[in-house]
Every structure is written in C-alpha cells, then in structure tokens.
Amino acid sequence: MAREREKKISRMTKGHAWLSIVFYFIAYHVVTLMLVVILGIVFFNMLYSKVSSEYGSVEYLARIYETSRRAGNKEILDLLDADDRPFFVKDIRGNIIYQQGENTCSKDAIRLGIPMMGHEILVYTDEEEDYFHEGFFRFINFDTYELDEDFDFSEQDLEKFISEHGQQENTQDANAAEDLFKSVTVSLISPGFGMMNPDNMQDTIPVWLPVKINGGTYTLVAKVTIGISVDDTELIVAMVQSFILINLLVFVILLFSSIKSVQRQKEITNMLFMDDDTGGHNWLWFLVYAEKLLCKRRNAGRRYALVNLYFVKYRNYCVIHSLKAGKKILWKVYHTLSGYLGKSAMVAHVSSSSFALLMEFSVEDQLKAKLSDLIGELEKTDSDHKFSFQAGVSVIEASIRRGRIRRRKDVDLEKEYNDACNARETLEPSEDSGIVFYDDRLMEEQKWIDAVTEHQERALKNEEFVVYYQPKYSPDTNELKGAEALIRWQSPEFGFVSPGRIIPIFEKNGFITEIDHYMISHVARDQRKWLNSGFNCVPVSVNVSRAHFIESDLAEQIRDMVDEAGAPRDLIEIELTESAFFDDKNALISTIDRLKEYGFLVSMDDFGAGYSSLNSLKDMALDVLKLDAEFFRGDADSKRKEIVVSEAIRLAKSLNMRTVAEGVEERDQVEFLASQGCDMIQGYYFAKPMPGSEYEDRMRRGVEGMFKREVKSEDKADADSTADAGKEVNAD
Ligand code: C2E
Ligand code: CA
Ligand code: CA
C-alpha cells in the first residue's frame, strides 16, 4: 500500500513535468518541420511555374525543329543554328544526333513540381552552374554582399549614400541610386541573399528541359534560363521571415508552457508535502526524501537514527487552552526542531503530537546527548509551561553489505518509524521527558505485554489463574502457622506463567483489581471448603495491590467477598506492600482500620525493600510485619544484616506485631530467626509455593520434622529463577 503510494508520488514529482516538456519539444519540431515543408512547397511551386512557362518555348522550338527536319528545310534549321540557344537532340539510346551550342546538360534529372498535384516537369541541371544540386543554397546564400569598400549596411550610411546620389543632377546617377536603393532595401530585409546583385536585379538559373519528338523516338533538350525577380525573392524572404517569426512564437509559447508546468508541478508537490499545522514538512515528504537520502551512494556507510519525538500531553494542552493555541505551540516546536538540527537532519510533523526525525550519527551516547539537549530546548518552547518530550529511536545501520549500497527495498521507513514509536511508547505512562532506543528485547517485552493484555479477560473467565499456597512455619516448633496465596497462570498458549511476568503488567493496565478480587474470593472459598472438610485451617494472606487501595470501599468489598464465601474473616490476612504507604495516607489508614474492625488481619509486605516505612509503622496499627527476602539473600555483610533483622523484630514486637521472615532458605537463618523471636518463616527452607492439594497435606501434617530438610541444589536453582521475574517457578 505504502509502496504503491510512493510510486504514485514519485511519478507526480518527476514524471509529469518531463512528459509535458518532451511533448512540447516534439510539438516544436513538428511545427518547424511543417513550416519547412510549406516553405519548400511554395518555393518549388514558384520554380515550377517559371519552368513550365519556359517549357512552352522549348516545345515550340521542338515543333519547329521536328517539322523542318521532316521537311528537310535546311534554312529553318540554319536559322535555329543561328539562334544562340544551346540545344541537342538525342535518340532513344541516348546518342546525340544533333547539337547546337555548347552542351553543358548534366546527367542528373530533377522532377520539379508537386507529384500529388499531378504536374511534374523533368529538369536537367546545368553542369557549369548547378543551382539545384550544389547550389540550391547558393540561391539563398548567406554571404554578406558588400556594395563597395566603405559601405556597410547601417541604415544611416544607406540614407547618406542615397541622399548623396539623389542630389546629383545627373539622371543616370539618380537612376543608379534608385536601383541601388531597391536592392539595398531588399538586402536589408534579409541581408546576404547572394542573388541580390545590384548589377543584375534578376538572377538566373540555367536548366535543361527535354521534350519528346518524333513520336518519342527523339528527345530535344534545350537550355533555358529561369529568372528570379526581386518580387519573387521578396516573397520568399517575407515567407521565411514570417515562418521564422511563427517558429519563434511557437518556441516561446512552448517554453513558457514548459516552465509553467514545471512550476505548477512544484506547487502541487509542495502542497502535497506541506503540513498544515506547522507549515513545515509532513510524513509523506519524509517518506519520499528520507528514503532518497538513505539510498544515496555516499550515505551508504553512515548510521542513521529514525526518531519518533512525542509531545507529551499535547492534547491536554489543547483541551485546557485551545486548538489554535495548541497549533501555535506545534508551529514553534517544529521550527525549534528544524532550527536546532539545521541541515544535518530531516524533520517532519507526522500527527498531532508526533514528529519524525532522521539524524546521522556515529556513537549512540553522542546521539543521546544531542537528543536530550534538543529536548531541553523544546521543553522551554513556552515560557509559561514546562513541556515534556519523549523520543523513541530506531537505528538504521550503515549498509555496505559486500560493497553494496542501500537499495530502496532494504529501507522500510514505516517499519523503522513503527519501531521507534513502539520504543517510545514504553515511556508513555510517565509524563517526563525521556529517550529510549529500540531493541529486540524491548519489543519482545512489548509483545508479551500485548499478549497478556489480550488474554487476561478470557483467562480470568476460564479460571486459568491458579492459587498456590506457600506455608509459613514457626521456627521454634516447626508448626504450620499460616500461608500466603500466590497466583500462577496456567495458560493454554503460554504454559505455566509465574506472577513476576504478569503482575507488573496487570498493575499497569489496571487489571490487578480483578486479580485481587479473584484471589480473595478463591482463598475464602478454599478456606470454607477446608473447614468443612475438618482441616486445621490457619490464616492465609492475600496480596492486595497498591492500585486497589485507591478505592474507598475496598474494606467493604473484601468483607462482602469473604462473607459471601462463608469463610471466617480472621482466616484471611491482607498484605499491603510497603510502597502503598506513599499514597493518600489518611485513606489508607482508614481502610486498614476498617479491615481490622471487620476482623481481618493486615500485614505489611516487603518491609525493608526499597522504601523506608518506619514512619508508616508509627501511624498504622498493623498485625504482621513481613521482612523482605532481601535480608536473607547472599551472605555479604551478614553481621550487619543480622543486626538490622533482629532490631526490626524487636521493633515489631514492641509495636505488638508478629513477624514473618520471607525467602529463608538456610538452616542457620532459621536458627538465627528463632533465636531472635521471629514468629514465622516463609521460605524454601520449609516449602515452596504449592497447589492447594499439596497444601492440604501440609495442613494434615501440621508440624514438619525438625530441620529435616536441607535446601537441595535444584531448589536453589529454582530460587534464583524466582528472583528473575522472567522465569517460571515450579513448585512441587
Ligand atoms: P511477594 O508477595 O513478596 O511473594 C513472595 C515471593 O517470594 C513469591 O514469589 C514466592 O514464591 C517467593 N519466595 C518465597 N520464598 C522464597 C525463597 O525461599 N526463595 C526465593 N527465591 N523466593 C521465595 P512469586 O510467587 O513469584 O510472586 C512474586 C510476586 O508477585 C509476589 O511477591 C507478589 O508481589 C506478586 N504476587 C503474586 N501473587 C499475587 C497476587 O495474587 N496478587 C498480587 N497483587 N500480587 C501477587
Ligand atoms: Ca506478598
Ligand atoms: Ca513479600
């Protein structure tokens, strides 16, 4: 589709004007040829009429010769001889049987006249003065005729000459002057007609005319001279002049039309390539000229960046101000861009908030620095606002492959731009300026995000999300004290998917609230089911996302769901992540208070990871503190970690909170935590997250054998892969 359009545009940009220029060129030559043909016809017709009048006298001569020869009338034949007209008679084989005067008849015959018109006369040229063959152009020869040495053809001189001669008394001189004047006038019309000999006002062309006699057995060929008068010449000259004039006129008109059509085409293409909002170039222009630039031989070894530059919140600006104000800003942005980049780059306005740039570069860091400098300039476009711009960059590598330059089909600008847009869209949730380079990993990630988003509703409906339980044990007694519900996705397309690969996506696209509901109601139903089956149930904690806490009736929603499933509220624990404590504090406190009021346990998840929430502990009466797994990972600075952990446990105790240590894998850690009075251990040391059926076994057993299990090496590998959000966890 795009190719088709490009072809059309390129046809428009070059084909059209050239076609009309070629047409005009041909038209001009046709007109010239026509004029030459007309001129030739007129000229030959004139000659023909002159020759045909001479032909009459030759026929007359032939008749006299024929009759007197037959009659053997010697006197008349002698009379003919006495006439100084040269002629000869030849027989059918060409032998000359009679001759009078000098025979200078050439062997070449010319057919004079227009065959189509039915009249034609055979004419032989005169060898001595061959006007027709070598001398047609002698007739119109362009040598300037000099009147005398000190006379040239300036008009003043001429007037002077005439007045001098005209004033003389002598009538002979006066006549000569007048004759001279005539010829000179003609010469002035078209200087240099060789025949305009002032001594001989009438130039003559000698020709030989044949007439058949004696029933065609003999031919009499006589020499005649055809006179070309001043009038004839004037006619020809006038015709030649008017034809030249017409020709010139046609030439000027066609030249003018050619220039006009080139101009018009330029205007059309300019219009086609102009962007209405910015007065600059549009995407179409970019497609055509960026491709040309990339395919130039001298650019083959250069790296280029195709950038999608996005004006963040441009639409908001238009809504708050006006569309007109928005366009004004766009105009400014475009001109800042083209002013900053100058001739080193190509800029086009693609759509309301997007611009395309094509920049040459060699080192990515330099390009990044230049772009952030440029964005810095753009942010200052309006003194009253601080705008943000995000850039996605797709790199077009230097393309000399086995010495070959980039070819049109190697350059897919739409794809490159699309890549740049995709890279840039990964920044979109933020309102800040930023720059991202496209790379395949980033796009794989994007594809995954799209696939998850596309399947999420169906997965929820089909119950593809499975609840896994990770038991929590007392480090003192090894007794089962609780569990955490963790989601797994059993996808028919993607197999077993760990939460690290889906939860961040759901948090971004808002689907997390559905997931939270799903998990709470499933856990509540399980608890009810297990109670009914006589299990010794312990509290199960469910993760509730930070995004969910924005809803003011969250506590009520949870209460209703749990009640509906018929599970005792104190068997459900709600886990909040530390980061949630940064949102609206009062609303959060209120939700926590109500949850506790309804009889739920509330815990703070991931304590110690990233943010400091000591302050939150002061305000919120939580039941459980979950120490982040980070405390128990690796053994660098283990002494310091131990101090922090034991202090955190002490703190929790003095705030009347129970403690859960997450991610515990080693026996020493369990021993240490037990010595510090940690209430529960949730970690691979005791158990990985497991399906409900396995968790039932754990409930049945209640107590695990005292330190009976070391973490096996393959468990460790699994543990590491859990840390990597991209991998799946296989709980067994
Ligand atoms: P989290 O809430 O901190 O959950 C604990 C994570 O640590 C779990 O990862 C668990 O498998 C892992 N873990 C527990 N013990 C060990 C251990 O000894 N070693 C190692 N290496 N890892 C251990 P999981 O199941 O992959 O979940 C990852 C995160 O996804 C959770 O972190 C939680 O933030 C989120 N998540 C999981 N399920 C849900 C859910 O249903 N709703 C919400 N909102 N978030 C969930
Ligand atoms: Ca958790
Ligand atoms: Ca946690």
Side-chain angles (χ1 to χ4, degrees), residues 598-642:
Y598 298 142
F600 295 105
L601 292 163
V602 185
S603 54
M604 182 190 278
D605 199 1
D606 303 338
F607 179 78
Y611 304 92
S612 163
S613 48
L614 280 172
N615 206 32
S616 318
L617 286 181
K618 158 180 89 72
D619 300 322
M620 291 167 220
L622 297 158
D623 302 296
V624 181
L625 191 70
K626 294 190 79 178
L627 300 174
D628 191 70
E630 198 52 47
F631 290 119
F632 312 103
R633 215 168 275 154
D635 35 32
D637 280 335
S638 60
K639 199 72 217 149
R640 296 180 72 88
K641 274 188 191 166
E642 272 179 19

Short mmCIF file of all heavy atoms in Angstrom, two decimals, residues 598-642:
data_model
loop_
_atom_site.label_atom_id
_atom_site.label_comp_id
_atom_site.label_asym_id
_atom_site.label_seq_id
_atom_site.Cartn_x
_atom_site.Cartn_y
_atom_site.Cartn_z
N TYR A 598 -13.41 -5.17 60.85
CA TYR A 598 -14.22 -6.27 60.33
C TYR A 598 -13.65 -7.63 60.72
O TYR A 598 -14.23 -8.66 60.43
CB TYR A 598 -14.33 -6.20 58.79
CG TYR A 598 -15.01 -4.94 58.28
CD1 TYR A 598 -14.57 -4.31 57.12
CD2 TYR A 598 -16.11 -4.38 58.96
CE1 TYR A 598 -15.18 -3.16 56.66
CE2 TYR A 598 -16.72 -3.22 58.49
CZ TYR A 598 -16.26 -2.61 57.34
OH TYR A 598 -16.85 -1.48 56.90
N GLY A 599 -12.45 -7.62 61.30
CA GLY A 599 -11.90 -8.89 61.79
C GLY A 599 -10.81 -9.49 60.92
O GLY A 599 -10.43 -10.64 61.09
N PHE A 600 -10.30 -8.73 59.94
CA PHE A 600 -9.22 -9.26 59.11
C PHE A 600 -7.87 -8.94 59.74
O PHE A 600 -7.74 -7.98 60.48
CB PHE A 600 -9.26 -8.62 57.71
CG PHE A 600 -10.49 -8.98 56.94
CD1 PHE A 600 -11.52 -8.05 56.77
CD2 PHE A 600 -10.64 -10.25 56.38
CE1 PHE A 600 -12.66 -8.38 56.06
CE2 PHE A 600 -11.79 -10.57 55.66
CZ PHE A 600 -12.81 -9.63 55.50
N LEU A 601 -6.89 -9.77 59.38
CA LEU A 601 -5.52 -9.45 59.76
C LEU A 601 -4.93 -8.61 58.63
O LEU A 601 -5.25 -8.83 57.45
CB LEU A 601 -4.70 -10.73 59.91
CG LEU A 601 -5.10 -11.62 61.09
CD1 LEU A 601 -4.53 -13.03 60.89
CD2 LEU A 601 -4.56 -11.00 62.39
N VAL A 602 -4.07 -7.67 59.00
CA VAL A 602 -3.44 -6.85 57.95
C VAL A 602 -1.93 -6.89 58.16
O VAL A 602 -1.45 -6.73 59.27
CB VAL A 602 -3.93 -5.39 57.99
CG1 VAL A 602 -3.35 -4.60 56.82
CG2 VAL A 602 -5.45 -5.33 57.96
N SER A 603 -1.20 -7.11 57.04
CA SER A 603 0.26 -7.17 57.19
C SER A 603 0.97 -6.23 56.23
O SER A 603 0.43 -5.86 55.19
CB SER A 603 0.76 -8.60 56.96
OG SER A 603 0.30 -9.08 55.72
N MET A 604 2.18 -5.85 56.64
CA MET A 604 2.99 -5.03 55.75
C MET A 604 4.00 -5.95 55.08
O MET A 604 4.83 -6.56 55.72
CB MET A 604 3.71 -3.92 56.52
CG MET A 604 4.51 -3.03 55.58
SD MET A 604 5.58 -1.93 56.49
CE MET A 604 4.43 -0.64 56.90
N ASP A 605 3.88 -5.99 53.72
CA ASP A 605 4.73 -6.89 52.93
C ASP A 605 6.05 -6.20 52.60
O ASP A 605 6.14 -4.96 52.60
CB ASP A 605 3.97 -7.21 51.63
CG ASP A 605 4.50 -8.45 50.94
OD1 ASP A 605 5.43 -9.07 51.47
OD2 ASP A 605 3.96 -8.79 49.87
N ASP A 606 7.05 -6.99 52.34
CA ASP A 606 8.34 -6.49 51.82
C ASP A 606 8.93 -5.38 52.67
O ASP A 606 9.52 -4.42 52.14
CB ASP A 606 8.18 -5.97 50.37
CG ASP A 606 7.61 -7.01 49.43
OD1 ASP A 606 7.74 -8.21 49.75
OD2 ASP A 606 7.05 -6.64 48.39
N PHE A 607 8.83 -5.51 53.97
CA PHE A 607 9.39 -4.48 54.84
C PHE A 607 10.90 -4.46 54.67
O PHE A 607 11.58 -5.48 54.76
CB PHE A 607 9.02 -4.73 56.32
CG PHE A 607 9.58 -3.70 57.25
CD1 PHE A 607 8.99 -2.44 57.37
CD2 PHE A 607 10.73 -3.97 58.02
CE1 PHE A 607 9.52 -1.49 58.22
CE2 PHE A 607 11.26 -3.01 58.88
CZ PHE A 607 10.65 -1.77 58.97
N GLY A 608 11.42 -3.24 54.42
CA GLY A 608 12.88 -3.11 54.26
C GLY A 608 13.34 -3.14 52.81
O GLY A 608 14.51 -2.99 52.53
N ALA A 609 12.39 -3.33 51.90
CA ALA A 609 12.80 -3.35 50.49
C ALA A 609 12.56 -1.98 49.88
O ALA A 609 11.43 -1.55 49.72
CB ALA A 609 12.01 -4.40 49.71
N GLY A 610 13.59 -1.31 49.59
CA GLY A 610 13.45 -0.03 48.85
C GLY A 610 13.06 1.15 49.70
O GLY A 610 13.89 1.98 50.06
N TYR A 611 11.83 1.24 50.03
CA TYR A 611 11.35 2.44 50.73
C TYR A 611 11.44 2.28 52.24
O TYR A 611 11.35 1.18 52.76
CB TYR A 611 9.89 2.72 50.36
CG TYR A 611 9.67 2.86 48.88
CD1 TYR A 611 9.31 1.75 48.11
CD2 TYR A 611 9.84 4.09 48.26
CE1 TYR A 611 9.12 1.87 46.76
CE2 TYR A 611 9.66 4.22 46.89
CZ TYR A 611 9.29 3.10 46.15
OH TYR A 611 9.09 3.23 44.82
N SER A 612 11.54 3.39 52.91
CA SER A 612 11.56 3.32 54.36
C SER A 612 10.15 3.56 54.85
O SER A 612 9.54 4.57 54.57
CB SER A 612 12.50 4.37 54.93
OG SER A 612 12.21 4.54 56.29
N SER A 613 9.62 2.60 55.61
CA SER A 613 8.24 2.77 56.04
C SER A 613 8.13 2.76 57.56
O SER A 613 7.08 2.49 58.11
CB SER A 613 7.38 1.68 55.43
OG SER A 613 8.01 0.45 55.65
N LEU A 614 9.25 3.10 58.15
CA LEU A 614 9.22 3.17 59.63
C LEU A 614 8.15 4.15 60.08
O LEU A 614 7.42 3.92 61.04
CB LEU A 614 10.57 3.62 60.16
CG LEU A 614 11.65 2.54 60.23
CD1 LEU A 614 12.98 3.15 60.59
CD2 LEU A 614 11.25 1.46 61.23
N ASN A 615 8.08 5.23 59.32
CA ASN A 615 7.11 6.27 59.63
C ASN A 615 5.68 5.75 59.57
O ASN A 615 4.84 6.08 60.41
CB ASN A 615 7.30 7.40 58.62
CG ASN A 615 6.82 8.71 59.20
OD1 ASN A 615 6.91 8.92 60.41
ND2 ASN A 615 6.31 9.56 58.35
N SER A 616 5.41 4.88 58.56
CA SER A 616 4.06 4.33 58.42
C SER A 616 3.72 3.44 59.60
O SER A 616 2.59 3.41 60.07
CB SER A 616 3.96 3.51 57.14
OG SER A 616 4.63 4.19 56.11
N LEU A 617 4.74 2.72 60.08
CA LEU A 617 4.51 1.83 61.22
C LEU A 617 3.97 2.60 62.42
O LEU A 617 3.16 2.09 63.19
CB LEU A 617 5.81 1.14 61.63
CG LEU A 617 6.29 0.03 60.71
CD1 LEU A 617 7.58 -0.58 61.27
CD2 LEU A 617 5.23 -1.06 60.58
N LYS A 618 4.43 3.84 62.51
CA LYS A 618 4.05 4.68 63.64
C LYS A 618 2.54 4.98 63.61
O LYS A 618 1.87 5.02 64.61
CB LYS A 618 4.89 5.96 63.54
CG LYS A 618 4.39 7.19 64.23
CD LYS A 618 5.36 8.32 64.01
CE LYS A 618 5.13 9.12 62.80
NZ LYS A 618 4.34 9.97 62.32
N ASP A 619 2.02 5.18 62.36
CA ASP A 619 0.62 5.60 62.24
C ASP A 619 -0.36 4.45 62.11
O ASP A 619 -1.54 4.60 62.37
CB ASP A 619 0.45 6.48 61.00
CG ASP A 619 1.32 7.72 61.09
OD1 ASP A 619 1.43 8.26 62.20
OD2 ASP A 619 1.89 8.12 60.05
N MET A 620 0.11 3.32 61.62
CA MET A 620 -0.85 2.27 61.28
C MET A 620 -0.71 1.06 62.17
O MET A 620 0.38 0.50 62.29
CB MET A 620 -0.65 1.87 59.82
CG MET A 620 -1.09 2.99 58.91
SD MET A 620 -0.53 2.71 57.25
CE MET A 620 -0.07 4.34 56.78
N ALA A 621 -1.83 0.68 62.68
CA ALA A 621 -1.81 -0.46 63.59
C ALA A 621 -1.94 -1.74 62.79
O ALA A 621 -3.04 -2.23 62.54
CB ALA A 621 -2.96 -0.33 64.58
N LEU A 622 -0.80 -2.28 62.36
CA LEU A 622 -0.84 -3.49 61.54
C LEU A 622 -0.58 -4.71 62.41
O LEU A 622 -0.02 -4.60 63.50
CB LEU A 622 0.22 -3.41 60.44
CG LEU A 622 0.01 -2.26 59.46
CD1 LEU A 622 1.30 -1.90 58.76
CD2 LEU A 622 -1.07 -2.61 58.45
N ASP A 623 -0.99 -5.87 61.89
CA ASP A 623 -0.85 -7.08 62.70
C ASP A 623 0.47 -7.79 62.46
O ASP A 623 1.02 -8.40 63.35
CB ASP A 623 -2.00 -8.06 62.35
CG ASP A 623 -3.35 -7.43 62.59
OD1 ASP A 623 -3.64 -7.12 63.75
OD2 ASP A 623 -4.09 -7.23 61.60
N VAL A 624 0.92 -7.73 61.20
CA VAL A 624 2.08 -8.55 60.85
C VAL A 624 3.10 -7.72 60.07
O VAL A 624 2.72 -6.90 59.23
CB VAL A 624 1.64 -9.76 59.97
CG1 VAL A 624 2.84 -10.63 59.60
CG2 VAL A 624 0.57 -10.57 60.67
N LEU A 625 4.36 -7.96 60.35
CA LEU A 625 5.44 -7.32 59.59
C LEU A 625 6.18 -8.41 58.83
O LEU A 625 6.69 -9.35 59.44
CB LEU A 625 6.39 -6.61 60.55
CG LEU A 625 7.41 -5.70 59.90
CD1 LEU A 625 6.74 -4.46 59.32
CD2 LEU A 625 8.47 -5.28 60.92
N LYS A 626 6.22 -8.28 57.49
CA LYS A 626 6.91 -9.31 56.70
C LYS A 626 8.27 -8.76 56.28
O LYS A 626 8.35 -7.80 55.52
CB LYS A 626 6.08 -9.69 55.47
CG LYS A 626 4.78 -10.38 55.82
CD LYS A 626 4.10 -10.95 54.59
CE LYS A 626 4.73 -12.26 54.17
NZ LYS A 626 4.04 -12.84 53.00
N LEU A 627 9.30 -9.38 56.80
CA LEU A 627 10.67 -8.94 56.47
C LEU A 627 11.02 -9.39 55.06
O LEU A 627 10.87 -10.58 54.72
CB LEU A 627 11.67 -9.52 57.47
CG LEU A 627 11.45 -9.11 58.93
CD1 LEU A 627 12.42 -9.88 59.83
CD2 LEU A 627 11.65 -7.61 59.11
N ASP A 628 11.48 -8.47 54.29
CA ASP A 628 11.72 -8.76 52.88
C ASP A 628 12.81 -9.82 52.69
O ASP A 628 13.78 -9.90 53.47
CB ASP A 628 12.12 -7.49 52.14
CG ASP A 628 12.10 -7.69 50.65
OD1 ASP A 628 10.98 -7.83 50.11
OD2 ASP A 628 13.18 -7.75 50.05
N ALA A 629 12.65 -10.59 51.64
CA ALA A 629 13.58 -11.69 51.33
C ALA A 629 15.01 -11.19 51.13
O ALA A 629 15.97 -11.95 51.29
CB ALA A 629 13.10 -12.42 50.09
N GLU A 630 15.15 -9.93 50.80
CA GLU A 630 16.48 -9.35 50.55
C GLU A 630 17.41 -9.52 51.76
O GLU A 630 18.61 -9.69 51.60
CB GLU A 630 16.29 -7.87 50.20
CG GLU A 630 17.46 -7.22 49.50
CD GLU A 630 17.93 -7.99 48.26
OE1 GLU A 630 17.07 -8.37 47.43
OE2 GLU A 630 19.13 -8.23 48.18
N PHE A 631 16.83 -9.50 52.95
CA PHE A 631 17.65 -9.66 54.18
C PHE A 631 18.32 -11.01 54.24
O PHE A 631 19.31 -11.20 54.93
CB PHE A 631 16.77 -9.49 55.44
CG PHE A 631 16.30 -8.08 55.67
CD1 PHE A 631 14.95 -7.77 55.68
CD2 PHE A 631 17.23 -7.05 55.90
CE1 PHE A 631 14.52 -6.48 55.91
CE2 PHE A 631 16.79 -5.77 56.12
CZ PHE A 631 15.43 -5.46 56.13
N PHE A 632 17.75 -11.98 53.53
CA PHE A 632 18.23 -13.35 53.69
C PHE A 632 18.91 -13.87 52.43
O PHE A 632 19.16 -15.05 52.27
CB PHE A 632 17.07 -14.26 54.12
CG PHE A 632 16.30 -13.66 55.26
CD1 PHE A 632 15.07 -13.04 55.05
CD2 PHE A 632 16.86 -13.65 56.54
CE1 PHE A 632 14.39 -12.46 56.09
CE2 PHE A 632 16.18 -13.05 57.58
CZ PHE A 632 14.94 -12.44 57.37
N ARG A 633 19.18 -12.93 51.55
CA ARG A 633 19.83 -13.32 50.29
C ARG A 633 21.32 -13.00 50.37
O ARG A 633 21.69 -11.93 50.85
CB ARG A 633 19.18 -12.55 49.14
CG ARG A 633 19.10 -13.35 47.88
CD ARG A 633 18.20 -12.68 46.85
NE ARG A 633 16.80 -13.01 47.02
CZ ARG A 633 15.80 -12.22 46.61
NH1 ARG A 633 16.06 -11.04 46.10
NH2 ARG A 633 14.55 -12.60 46.77
N GLY A 634 22.16 -13.92 49.94
CA GLY A 634 23.61 -13.69 49.93
C GLY A 634 24.15 -13.61 51.35
O GLY A 634 23.38 -13.56 52.30
N ASP A 635 25.50 -13.60 51.49
CA ASP A 635 25.99 -13.51 52.87
C ASP A 635 26.94 -12.33 53.10
O ASP A 635 27.58 -12.24 54.11
CB ASP A 635 26.61 -14.82 53.34
CG ASP A 635 27.33 -15.54 52.23
OD1 ASP A 635 27.89 -14.84 51.33
OD2 ASP A 635 27.33 -16.76 52.23
N ALA A 636 27.04 -11.43 52.12
CA ALA A 636 27.88 -10.25 52.32
C ALA A 636 27.28 -9.42 53.44
O ALA A 636 26.06 -9.31 53.57
CB ALA A 636 27.95 -9.43 51.04
N ASP A 637 28.14 -8.88 54.29
CA ASP A 637 27.70 -8.03 55.39
C ASP A 637 26.66 -8.72 56.26
O ASP A 637 25.75 -8.10 56.80
CB ASP A 637 27.06 -6.74 54.85
CG ASP A 637 28.13 -5.73 54.45
OD1 ASP A 637 29.23 -5.81 55.02
OD2 ASP A 637 27.84 -4.90 53.58
N SER A 638 26.78 -10.03 56.40
CA SER A 638 25.72 -10.76 57.10
C SER A 638 25.57 -10.28 58.55
O SER A 638 24.46 -10.29 59.08
CB SER A 638 25.97 -12.26 57.04
OG SER A 638 27.21 -12.52 57.65
N LYS A 639 26.68 -9.82 59.12
CA LYS A 639 26.61 -9.38 60.51
C LYS A 639 25.69 -8.16 60.63
O LYS A 639 24.82 -8.09 61.49
CB LYS A 639 28.04 -9.03 61.00
CG LYS A 639 28.20 -8.98 62.48
CD LYS A 639 28.16 -10.39 63.10
CE LYS A 639 27.42 -10.27 64.47
NZ LYS A 639 26.70 -11.51 64.77
N ARG A 640 25.92 -7.23 59.69
CA ARG A 640 25.10 -6.00 59.70
C ARG A 640 23.63 -6.35 59.46
O ARG A 640 22.74 -5.82 60.11
CB ARG A 640 25.58 -5.03 58.62
CG ARG A 640 26.98 -4.53 58.86
CD ARG A 640 27.37 -3.59 57.75
NE ARG A 640 26.68 -2.30 57.85
CZ ARG A 640 27.14 -1.29 58.55
NH1 ARG A 640 28.29 -1.41 59.22
NH2 ARG A 640 26.48 -0.17 58.61
N LYS A 641 23.42 -7.28 58.52
CA LYS A 641 22.04 -7.67 58.21
C LYS A 641 21.38 -8.26 59.45
O LYS A 641 20.23 -7.96 59.76
CB LYS A 641 22.03 -8.71 57.09
CG LYS A 641 22.04 -8.08 55.70
CD LYS A 641 21.83 -9.15 54.65
CE LYS A 641 22.09 -8.59 53.27
NZ LYS A 641 22.24 -9.65 52.29
N GLU A 642 22.14 -9.08 60.13
CA GLU A 642 21.59 -9.72 61.34
C GLU A 642 21.15 -8.68 62.36
O GLU A 642 20.09 -8.81 62.98
CB GLU A 642 22.65 -10.63 61.97
CG GLU A 642 22.63 -12.03 61.38
CD GLU A 642 23.71 -12.93 61.99
OE1 GLU A 642 24.22 -12.59 63.08
OE2 GLU A 642 24.01 -13.95 61.36
#
